[in-house]
């Protein structure tokens, strides 16, 4: 791959989050075009807005004739004299400025709240008590750069009271009591909804790839929180997410001009804790801007966010520079006093260098491998702005202070950020950047093997697709196989997206990519492993790229991938959502085996209503609604076949081949049971960092018996299952019991 071509492709983009890009004109030879896909060569220049290769791609993802985006103003720079904020051209207040030192001393730091009753509760009697209504009221008051308290909401209904301090007490969703409910795209009236259990699911549309058709079990469609049922919402834009040991989901966002939640200091919250059991969401505090960070779970179970972006003092003077920040969050399956406590950031504890858009991988020795990132958020076509290095944090999440150059990142600039990284069963790493891949030995700082480039378009930021490490098992010696789907040609709203998917066994004697195809081209598509071994792919766009206002044509369908089927029979299409999930969306598997889908904030600051005709595009709003997708294994007749009464002999496990016991009650007539060790990881930007699942060996299963006792064998070492929190899922005939968190030490 040619570095110069990469740099030019990246320069074609007009918006890269808040990074400006120079406009360049690509030259070409009519006889041998050097243009990017979708750009014809005419009179020696690559032409925007036309498709020369449309015959190679289905109409669904051909590039359309569209107006070119206008040039953007450069990113606001740090102020050094104290004149900063909205009143001074949007300049950013320098965190090291002596002029602002006195002001910095007055920053309000919010200690963890010891319980949910220690803070006085402010009660708002409102006539439309929903988070969106609260946000609309806040938006009406955003006539200056400062935030205002919410005091009133327009009258719509008269049956709700909202109590707000660190949480919005959201009413429980009437259909969220059990995954057996058949969710509908448009929720009917409440009385009818209560009668809808086990309604007839929609017909599943199989994907016809090479003449084969696949029969797929029926499954329920996605439930959006619609205008008739608007109470399932995240509180903040869901840029990052993770499932915690208390069964709740943590959302983490950047500094915004408004969210749905406020902290006791009257600033908006940029992180929240969502409880799927009650549909309540609490505001969480943090100290440094977590914008586009990486993350992982530490061996002791703490959730860590690494890197970020600059402060925005004119929006919130209490949040500092996050470029080299490390944030920690602690939750427990048994200690409820930790619930609702904010992120901890010990003073002086920083990573070795600024990193924005860094990837993180837990190693077998429990250290964290942290790679890539921008140094300053400026033009990535200029190497001085980039950080093509890695560093290592110890098991406690503290950096060793060394930045080590990494060649695959350097040579693939500017497509070097948010690389796909997977831990292999030999303790080394699979690393994918742009189209390039390799096996990297962290211990020796060497490339063990250069892998073949994946065919198709660019696969990493800003044309990120998605990647998963397919389920591991002892049947093939825990041999790893990596799957990558989607991507795009360049960073612009006109970019076509790639429908292809590649699978590779990196440790094979002769690794090669086995190519397959989704139903349509997708960028920002993300894959999530399910306990039955299938992979769910959701979210994304059919045109455009990652960045603010540079994507359109959302892809709404759920795609289901069965990795054990023959090539050409692996894909089927599931239900269709009504909510666009573009830039900054997430998907997280919950303990009950359903998939939570949230996020989409494809604009620089939140908007609540679309603004057609804007450049960059503001056609899609900041999305706060949460959806719950129920896979086929819990739909239709399967909804009543869930194993129950699951108990584990121990929840403190070791990856050393030792055993533990599981007991459960299975439906009569059962035929097979499996146990999966599942790690959801840190989810952001269609990456699921550290995501992995291992099918464990078992003995003792008795076909047909309702009372089951299985002896379960753990993986042989931490190359297969690194330390940290996992969920044990037991499936009977593919139907999962409620998962239980364990700790792998």
């Amino acid at each position: 791959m040619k570095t110069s071509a990469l740099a030019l492709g990246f320069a074609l983009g007009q918006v890269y989050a808040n990074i400006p890009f120079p406009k360049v004109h690509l030259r070409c030879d009519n006889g041998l075009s050097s243009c990017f896909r979708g750009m014809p060569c005419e009179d020696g220049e690559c032409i925007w807005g036309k498709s020369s290769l449309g015959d190679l791609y289905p109409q669904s993802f051909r590039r359309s004739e569209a107006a070119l985006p206008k040039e953007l103003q450069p990113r606001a720079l740090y102020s050094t004299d104290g004149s900063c904020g909205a009143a001074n051209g949007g300049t950013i207040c320098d965190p090291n400025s002596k002029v602002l030192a006195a002001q910095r001393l007055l920053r309000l730091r919010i200690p963890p709240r010891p319980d949910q009753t220690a803070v006085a509760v402010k009660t708002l009697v409102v006539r439309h008590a929903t988070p969106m209504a609260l946000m609309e009221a806040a938006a009406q008051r955003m006539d200056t750069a400062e935030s205002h308290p919410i005091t009133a909401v327009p009258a719509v209904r008269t049956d709700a009271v909202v109590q707000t301090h660190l949480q919005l007490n959201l009413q429980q969703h009437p259909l969220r009591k059990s995954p057996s409910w058949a969710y509908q795209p448009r929720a009917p009236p409440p009385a009818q909804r209560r009668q809808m259990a086990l309604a007839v699911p929609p017909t599943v549309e199989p994907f016809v790839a090479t003449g084969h058709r696949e029969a797929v079990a029926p499954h329920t469609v996605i439930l959006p929180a619609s205008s008739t049922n608007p109470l399932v919402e995240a509180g903040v834009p869901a840029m990052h997410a993770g499932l915690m040991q208390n069964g709740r989901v943590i959302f983490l966002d950047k500094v915004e001009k408004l969210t749905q939640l406020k902290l006791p200091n009257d600033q908006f919250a940029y992180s929240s804790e969502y409880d799927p059991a009650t549909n309540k969401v609490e505001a969480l505090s943090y100290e440094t801007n977590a914008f586009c960070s990486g993350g992982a779970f530490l061996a002791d179970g703490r959730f860590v966010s690494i890197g970020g972006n600059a402060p925005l003092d004119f929006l919130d003077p209490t949040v500092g520079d996050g470029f080299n920040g490390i944030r920690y969050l602690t939750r427990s399956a048994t200690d409820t006093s930790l619930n609702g406590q904010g992120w901890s950031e010990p003073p002086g504890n920083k990573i070795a260098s600024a990193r924005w858009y860094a990837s993180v991988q837990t190693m077998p020795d429990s250290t964290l491998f942290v790679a890539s990132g921008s140094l300053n958020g400026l033009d990535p076509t200029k190497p001085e702005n980039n950080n093509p290095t890695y560093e290592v944090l110890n098991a406690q999440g503290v950096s060793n202070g060394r930045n080590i150059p990494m060649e695959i990142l350097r040579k693939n600039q500017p497509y070097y950020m948010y690389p796909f990284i997977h831990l292999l069963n030999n303790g080394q790493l699979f690393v994918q950047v742009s189209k390039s891949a390799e096996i990297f030995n962290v211990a020796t700082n060497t490339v063990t093997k250069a892998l073949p480039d994946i065919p198709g378009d660019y696969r990493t930021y800003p044309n990120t697709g998605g990647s998963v490490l397919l389920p591991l098992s002892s049947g093939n010696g825990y041999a790893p196989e990596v799957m990558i789907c989607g991507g795009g040609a360049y960073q612009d709203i006109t970019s076509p997206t790639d429908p292809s998917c590649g699978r590779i066994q990196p440790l094979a004697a002769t690794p090669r990519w086995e190519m397959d195809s989704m139903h349509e081209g997708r960028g920002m598509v993300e894959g999530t492993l399910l306990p039955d071994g299938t992979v769910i792919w959701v979210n994304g766009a059919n045109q455009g790229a990652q960045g603010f206002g540079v994507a359109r044509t959302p892809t709404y369908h759920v795609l289901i991938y069965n990795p054990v089927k023959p090539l050409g029979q692996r894909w089927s299409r599931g239900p269709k959502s009504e909510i666009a999930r573009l830039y900054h969306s997430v998907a997280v598997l919950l303990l009950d085996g359903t998939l939570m889908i949230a996020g989409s904030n494809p604009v620089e600051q939140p908007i609540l209503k679309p603004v057609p005709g804007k450049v960059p595009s503001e056609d899609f709003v900041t999305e706060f609604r949460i959806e719950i997708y129920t896979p086929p294994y819990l739909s239709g007749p399967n909804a009543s076949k869930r194993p129950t009464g699951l108990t584990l002999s121990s929840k403190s496990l070791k990856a050393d081949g030792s055993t533990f016991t599981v007991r459960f009650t299975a439906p009569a007539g059962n035929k097979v049971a499996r146990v999966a060790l599942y790690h959801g990881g840190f989810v952001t930007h269609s990456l699921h960092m550290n995501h992995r699942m291992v099918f464990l060996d078992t003995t003792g299963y008795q076909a047909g018996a309702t009372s089951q006792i299985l002896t379960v064998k753990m993986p042989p070492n931490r190359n297969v299952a690194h330390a940290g929190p996992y969920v044990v899922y037991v499936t009977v005939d593919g139907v999962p019991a409620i998962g239980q968190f364990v700790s792998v030490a």
Side-chain angles (χ1 to χ4, degrees), residues 115-305:
D115 56 63
Q116 297 186 5
T117 61
V119 181
V121 175
K122 179 181 179 181
T123 301
L124 301 177
V125 179
V126 297
R127 296 296 181 255
H128 186 48
T130 71
M132 188 56 69
L134 293 175
M135 279 202 57
E136 289 172 349
Q140 293 171 3
R141 301 181 61 88
M142 288 296 295
D143 52 348
T144 72
E146 298 179 357
S147 20
H148 296 272
I150 301 170
T151 57
V153 187
V156 175
R157 25 184 274 204
T158 59
D159 60 347
V161 173
V162 173
Q163 295 179 336
T164 63
H165 52 303
L166 288 185
Q167 69 176 8
L168 285 175
N169 293 315
L170 306 185
Q171 299 175 15
Q172 182 170 343
H173 197 295
L175 295 183
R176 190 64 182 89
K177 297 177 181 179
S178 166
S180 65
W181 290 87
Y183 299 154
Q184 300 298 321
R186 291 185 177 86
Q192 182 180 347
R193 286 200 298 267
R194 296 187 182 97
Q195 307 298 322
M196 287 177 55
L198 301 180
V200 178
T203 302
V204 175
E205 179 183 349
F207 173 46
V208 182
T210 56
H212 300 282
R213 295 187 64 86
E214 179 182 7
V216 181
H219 50 154
T220 44
V221 299
I222 292 171
L223 170 68
S226 66
S227 59
T228 60
N229 207 355
L231 296 176
V232 185
E233 297 185 326
V236 303
M239 181 184 294
H240 318 79
L243 180 69
M244 305 301 290
Q245 296 91 324
N246 57 4
R248 299 181 178 185
V249 177
I250 296 299
F251 297 121
L252 184 64
D253 187 34
K254 62 184 175 69
V255 174
E256 308 280 17
K257 68 180 181 183
L258 76 163
T259 68
Q260 294 178 321
L261 302 177
K262 278 201 167 184
L263 298 166
N265 65 347
D266 205 35
Q267 297 289 345
F268 286 106
Y270 316 117
S271 182
S272 66
E273 182 171 356
Y274 166 66
D275 186 351
T278 64
N279 284 321
K280 292 183 179 180
V281 60
E282 291 189 73
L284 305 179
S285 62
Y286 69 47
E287 297 184 18
T288 59
N289 191 356
F291 184 13
C292 297
S293 60
F297 283 92
L298 296 177
D300 61 14
R302 285 179 294 165
F303 198 43
V304 59
S305 160

Side-chain angles (χ1 to χ4, degrees), residues 239 418 420 459-461 463-468 485 523-528 537-540 546 582-587 682-689:
M239 181 184 294
Y418 271 158
F420 295 136
R459 306 291 181 163
T460 53
Y461 200 91
N463 295 110
T464 305
S467 179
V468 295
C485 288
M524 298 175 282
V525 62
E526 57 188 288
T528 305
W537 295 85
V538 296
N539 302 341
Q546 290 176 304
L582 301 173
Y583 191 42
H584 296 152
S585 299
V586 296
F682 184 97
V683 181
T684 187
H685 291 75
S686 72
L687 280 77
H688 290 222
M689 301 179 191

Side-chain angles (χ1 to χ4, degrees), residues 292-432:
C292 297
S293 60
F297 283 92
L298 296 177
D300 61 14
R302 285 179 294 165
F303 198 43
V304 59
S305 160
I306 299 171
N309 204 281
L312 298 177
D313 282 26
F314 60 92
L315 293 180
D316 189 340
T318 72
V319 176
D321 192 326
F323 269 114
N324 58 0
I326 311 177
R327 306 159 203 88
Y328 307 86
L329 194 70
T330 304
R331 292 296 184 267
S332 168
T334 56
D335 185 357
T336 59
S337 68
L338 297 172
N339 296 347
Q341 292 191 14
W343 293 80
S344 170
E345 302 182 47
N349 183 43
K350 304 292 183 181
I351 52 177
S353 58
R355 296 186 187 274
W356 187 38
Y357 289 90
S359 293
V360 182
Q361 174 62 54
T362 305
M363 299 300 295
D365 61 358
S366 301
T367 59
L368 299 184
F369 175 85
V370 182
S372 191
S374 170
L375 290 169
N376 51 28
L378 299 178
D379 184 355
T381 66
K382 297 180 178 180
E384 62 268 25
N385 296 324
N386 303 338
N387 194 352
T389 70
Y390 72 89
E391 61 183 281
V392 176
L393 278 59
N394 66 18
Q396 289 71 47
V398 178
S399 176
N400 64 9
R402 297 176 56 212
N403 296 300
I404 304 172
M406 193 171 185
E407 180 63 15
I408 194 172
L409 301 179
R410 186 200 64 78
K411 73 178 183 180
N412 282 291
Q413 295 177 95
Y415 272 84
Y416 73 105
M417 287 181 273
Y418 271 158
F420 295 136
I421 305 176
H422 299 288
L423 176 64
L424 306 179
N425 67 342
N426 64 355
Q428 300 180 34
L429 299 180
F430 170 90
V431 181
Q432 169 81 34

Side-chain angles (χ1 to χ4, degrees), residues 636-648:
N638 288 338
S640 60
K641 297 180 180 179
R642 189 194 287 276
T644 59
L646 176 65
T647 60
L648 310 182

